[in-house]
Amino acid sequence: MPSARVRQEETLRARVVAAFAGDGELARAVPGFVARKSQAEMAAAVYDAIEAGGTLIAEAGTGTGKTFAYLVPAVLAGGKVLVSSGTKPLQDQLFRKDLPAVLDALHINAAIAVLKGRANYVCLHRMARAESEGLLPSREDVVHLRSVIRFASMTSTGDRAELAEVPENAAIWPLVTSTRDNCLGAECPRFAECFVYKARREAQAADIVIVNHHLFMADLTLRDDSIRDFLPIVDTVILDEAHQLPSIAADFFGASLSLAQLLEAGRDTRSLGLSRAPDGASWITLTARFERAVRDLRLALGDAGLAIGSRTPVERITRRAELIPVFDELDGCGAEVLRALEINRGRDAELDLLIGRFSELRRELHDWSKALAKPAHADGNEWPAEPSEQNAPSVRWISVSTHGAQFNQTPLAPGEALARARAAQPQAWILTSATLTAADRFDHFLAEIGIEGATTARWNSPFDFPQQALLYLPKSLPSPNDSGFAHVVAEAAWPLVRANGGRAFILCTTLRAVDKVADRLRQLMALDDQQLPLLVQGTTTRRALINAYRSSGSAVLVGSISFWEGIDIRGDALSLVVIDKLPFAPPDDPVVEANIRYLRRMGRTPFNEYQLPEAIMLMKQGVGRLIRDETDRGVLMILDERLLTKPYGKTVLASLPPFARTRTEADAIAFLTRKPT
Ligand code: SF4
């Protein structure tokens, strides 16, 4: 006879499945809810994983309804739940719409909270400082500061997303928000009313807390030292948009140091030193020397052959020895600033924070100086013979911009660190996304995240792709590597764009291609005297472009990789998606190149095991923009002949939804212009 606990679990599992029935709790409470077998199956699998405390990796095609499929079992299973998403819009949608709808449908009361990174909340202390110092460089900054002050006096959350009148990229934001380097924590005079800590206290107390992957990783890796473990201990972890985890893990388990960070530390020292300990040191002289050394380093990078826009692995810098004395000079100037800060220790809490900051910066400068001094490995990277937790394979590389530079160390197998972190967490983990497989296999994703012993499951999209969508592969295309390829893309796409009255996304693999395609489209529109709103990446923020697209009704948006995912435009508004070519990561990118060489050294085949699956997963994301619900119709046009001429093209095509196909422009136009039956 089953025990009472087993019986209770069986009852709960049955309730989870029943909630998704045509006459179930969701159907009764959620307008427009449609019962889907795959959604109920996924919910049952999620429930089983929660009960077993295991790891479930679930791919759910667009339209499966995965959000309800994980929320319902997580809520019914009880205990504390953490849901992490990849993007802020999904975080907001979960908090404001999906989670309240599920709780309502199930008649369950639970405390819910949303927690974002600290840069999303107004910092009352820094805001007051910006106001009292009155050193804002522009009139616009002054106006924005006034808006922030007014907002701070009225809001209960301090979440800057609620203050639409100050743009996302306004220069005021870094001055009125905090970083882990400059937050005073419990020493802060505004600690009791602080929005960051209020949000964290609410998250700690909530039954269900919604975060994003960056925050989740920060907690997992205990990087935000000012508050360790700021997320509650939970019984269930759900990671939505899980395909983003490997790259976010690579950032978190890696390290980076920028010239902007160094300059900011210098500026903060000068302003705090002068205001809090004016007689404590020659702050102006010390920081001016330090900042000059930072600028000298930028110049030295140029002299060593690193061009603006370059991303170069250390071992490729032939004149890297010339950089060592410049690093050492900078380190020396940092040591003088640090000495002055030490002498004044105890006079002011904010000034004291700079001691830790400068110590850390000096440690990183020292590491870089050592790395530059090392003779290049035969294969150029930091690959220990026997990788371990302390000794993980990584690549060091430098990126240079017009006025700045960033020094990066990226782990080559971030999954190992993620797997160790997972092993230390006892609760159930559910990882889900619409794109976790390549050629129907999870191998690549599993290798990337390193987590062993996971259960995998996938549910195809319930949409009728052969009816709803047409894949158009034009004939007689040049190679995607041809210099005039971007013009060919624009010229081949234009007849479809024109016939469709815009309502199109043109997704390119590089920013350079975006500009060229947009330029040529502009010319074609002028020639045909048919002007459609042309929205081009780089002209304003991503969010502003998407909003403009939504409100236009006839726009053409040309964007690169950041537009391939996370955009949900339903109905007629987006009925044509054009993809220029297979999104293989550039093989000369330092991290990609190092990964290829690392895999080769491990006796594996980088193309099949890394480059191709990565491209397929990204391709699936791009393609996924087109059909968002049962009534959507549209054409997907891909201009890469390798899909048909290369052996791997078959694998890519087999990984895409089962669209009807054509090679003829007339068919594609007919499909676009035909009224749905
Ligand atoms: S505790 Fe930190 S974030 Fe909060 S007001 Fe103070 S400095 Fe700002």
Side-chain angles (χ1 to χ4, degrees):
M1 196 148 146
S3 68
R5 181 179 149 70
V6 171
R7 275 202 308 277
Q8 193 197 358
E9 279 176 18
E10 283 171 0
T11 316
L12 263 182
R13 190 181 195 276
R15 187 176 167 199
V16 167
V17 175
F20 291 90
D23 57 353
E25 288 169 289
L26 291 167
R28 288 198 294 274
V30 180
F33 177 82
V34 179
R36 290 194 189 105
K37 189 164 162 269
S38 53
Q39 192 179 28
E41 284 174 5
M42 179 175 164
V46 170
Y47 180 81
D48 292 343
I50 293 173
E51 278 310 316
T55 305
L56 172 69
I57 297 178
E59 183 182 78
T62 321
T64 307
K66 64 179 161 46
T67 312
F68 280 13
Y70 61 68
L71 287 179
V72 169
V75 166
L76 287 177
K80 286 206 175 222
V81 182
L82 179 139
V83 184
S84 178
S85 75
T87 54
K88 277 187 229 160
L90 181 58
Q91 222 184 334
D92 283 331
Q93 183 185 315
L94 279 162
F95 181 64
R96 292 184 201 290
K97 204 167 145 231
D98 297 336
L99 189 49
V102 164
L103 292 172
D104 209 34
L106 301 175
H107 304 290
I108 286 179
N109 256 331
I112 66 174
V114 64
L115 184 63
K116 300 181 181 177
R118 58 163 70 246
N120 290 280
Y121 301 94
V122 172
C123 164
L124 293 167
H125 178 67
R126 287 176 59 77
M127 179 186 81
R129 207 178 111 194
E131 187 186 17
S132 66
E133 282 175 357
L135 295 172
L136 298 177
S138 79
R139 167 99 198 104
E140 190 180 47
D141 293 339
V142 175
V143 173
H144 286 159
L145 177 60
R146 257 191 240 128
S147 301
V148 174
I149 293 170
R150 209 169 35 244
F151 168 69
S153 69
M154 289 165 1
T155 171
S156 63
T157 65
D159 182 347
R160 59 189 257 192
E162 293 169 17
L163 182 60
E165 69 197 59
V166 179
E168 252 180 295
N169 54 352
I172 194 68
W173 284 122
L175 303 177
V176 294
T177 53
S178 65
T179 64
R180 73 186 172 101
D181 285 336
N182 59 30
C183 171
L184 286 168
E187 309 270 304
C188 176
R190 311 295 296 268
F191 185 65
E193 24 170 0
C194 168
F195 294 122
V196 174
Y197 286 81
K198 181 169 175 266
R200 290 181 176 188
R201 278 192 298 272
E202 284 171 6
Q204 280 282 350
D207 301 309
I208 305 167
V209 56
I210 296 164
V211 301
N212 59 41
H213 294 337
H214 285 93
L215 216 48
F216 175 70
M217 285 290 173
D219 191 64
L220 206 60
T221 54
L222 301 179
R223 287 283 294 271
D224 196 330
D225 287 337
S226 59
I227 317 173
R228 299 206 150 202
D229 295 325
F230 52 86
L231 295 178
I233 308 282
V234 296
D235 302 286
T236 304
V237 169
I238 295 168
L239 302 162
D240 200 346
E241 296 176 326
H243 62 279
Q244 298 181 0
L245 282 175
S247 65
I248 296 175
D251 283 351
F252 270 88
F253 294 112
S256 72
L257 168 70
S258 70
L259 295 188
Q261 245 172 295
L262 292 159
L263 287 171
E264 195 183 313
R267 267 197 310 272
D268 286 355
T269 306
R270 182 166 52 249
S271 86
L272 285 167
L274 290 173
S275 59
R276 313 291 165 85
D279 57 345
S282 309
W283 299 113
I284 293 180
T285 313
L286 282 173
T287 54
R289 217 180 285 153
F290 177 73
E291 286 168 10
R292 192 165 50 245
V294 175
R295 279 189 284 271
D296 285 348
L297 176 54
R298 172 66 191 83
L299 292 175
L301 292 173
D303 293 345
L306 302 188
I308 292 169
S310 64
R311 293 155 60 93
T312 317
V314 163
E315 81 277 2
R316 288 272 167 81
I317 308 171
T318 42
R319 292 161 61 189
R320 62 183 178 280
E322 292 170 21
L323 295 172
I324 299 169
V326 195
F327 264 96
D328 292 346
E329 170 65 19
L330 177 56
D331 185 37
C333 295
E336 284 176 17
V337 177
L338 186 56
R339 225 173 353 259
L341 290 165
E342 290 278 13
I343 290 167
N344 288 282
R345 190 192 277 274
R347 291 181 70 175
D348 177 80
E350 245 174 306
L351 201 56
D352 284 355
L353 274 186
L354 285 160
I355 296 175
R357 212 161 137 190
F358 263 91
S359 305
E360 178 63 19
L361 290 174
R362 283 200 61 209
R363 191 189 59 69
E364 290 177 39
L365 287 171
H366 190 66
D367 280 357
W368 270 93
S369 179
K370 253 180 22 200
L372 288 162
K374 265 191 204 165
H377 284 225
D379 45 17
N381 294 283
E382 297 189 18
W383 295 341
E386 291 196 12
S388 68
E389 192 169 342
Q390 290 72 33
N391 204 5
S394 66
V395 54
R396 275 186 192 266
W397 54 285
I398 301 175
S399 54
V400 175
S401 58
T402 312
H403 300 295
Q406 183 153 311
F407 304 88
N408 311 282
Q409 184 174 18
T410 306
L412 297 183
E416 286 169 18
L418 189 58
R420 274 194 298 274
R422 164 63 185 123
Q425 311 281 324
Q427 71 281 80
W429 277 28
I430 316 295
L431 290 82
T432 186
S433 162
T435 51
L436 295 176
T437 63
D440 297 345
R441 299 181 64 89
F442 285 94
D443 302 10
H444 174 62
F445 183 70
L446 287 171
E448 290 268 280
I449 56 163
I451 297 173
E452 287 178 359
T455 303
T456 57
R458 57 189 290 259
W459 289 274
N460 286 331
S461 167
F463 301 153
D464 185 356
F465 284 104
Q467 288 299 321
Q468 291 181 251
L470 182 68
L471 169 59
Y472 168 38
L473 302 169
K475 295 178 202 156
S476 315
L477 291 169
S479 155
N481 300 324
D482 256 43
S483 58
F485 185 68
H487 277 200
V488 173
V489 171
E491 283 157 14
W494 173 238
L496 276 74
V497 172
R498 187 180 49 203
N500 202 41
R503 301 181 295 145
F505 268 23
I506 301 187
L507 301 177
C508 304
T509 41
T510 62
L511 280 173
R512 213 173 321 126
V514 166
D515 290 337
K516 287 187 183 170
V517 169
D519 286 347
R520 185 66 187 137
L521 270 181
R522 216 172 275 121
Q523 290 168 358
L524 292 165
M525 286 183 192
L527 281 173
D528 277 4
D529 197 17
Q530 186 157 1
Q531 294 299 335
L532 295 167
L534 186 61
L535 305 167
V536 184
Q537 179 172 357
T539 51
T540 175
T541 63
R542 180 178 183 271
R543 189 190 291 184
L545 285 172
I546 295 168
N547 288 343
Y549 183 91
R550 282 183 200 280
S551 56
S552 153
S554 62
V556 186
L557 188 147
V558 189
S560 82
I561 299 300
S562 63
F563 286 83
W564 286 55
E565 63 174 292
I567 301 174
D568 187 11
I569 296 176
R570 292 170 191 231
D572 281 353
L574 176 57
S575 44
L576 172 62
V577 170
V578 179
I579 288 179
D580 67 343
K581 55 181 162 181
L582 284 169
F584 286 116
D588 57 349
D589 176 271
V591 179
V592 176
E593 188 190 10
N595 266 314
I596 291 172
R597 284 196 280 160
Y598 179 64
L599 287 171
R600 229 175 250 145
R601 191 170 118 167
M602 305 292 281
R604 300 184 25 208
T605 42
F607 184 76
N608 291 338
E609 295 182 46
Y610 168 59
Q611 292 159 283
L612 182 60
E614 290 268 303
I616 290 177
M617 282 172 61
L618 189 49
M619 190 76 175
K620 284 168 71 176
Q621 282 289 339
V623 168
R625 296 314 99 215
L626 184 62
I627 303 297
R628 306 299 300 171
D629 70 25
E630 277 97 347
T631 55
D632 270 11
R633 290 178 81 255
V635 168
L636 167 70
M637 177 182 188
I638 308 178
L639 291 107
D640 194 327
E641 56 161 19
R642 291 174 296 182
L643 280 173
L644 298 167
T645 58
K646 297 283 181 194
Y648 58 77
K650 266 202 197 76
T651 314
V652 179
L653 285 173
S655 300
L656 302 183
F659 293 175
R661 279 190 212 167
T662 184
R663 302 215 61 197
T664 317
E665 184 185 284
D667 287 350
I669 292 180
F671 190 94
L672 284 171
T673 50
R674 195 170 63 224
K675 290 265 170 288
T677 46

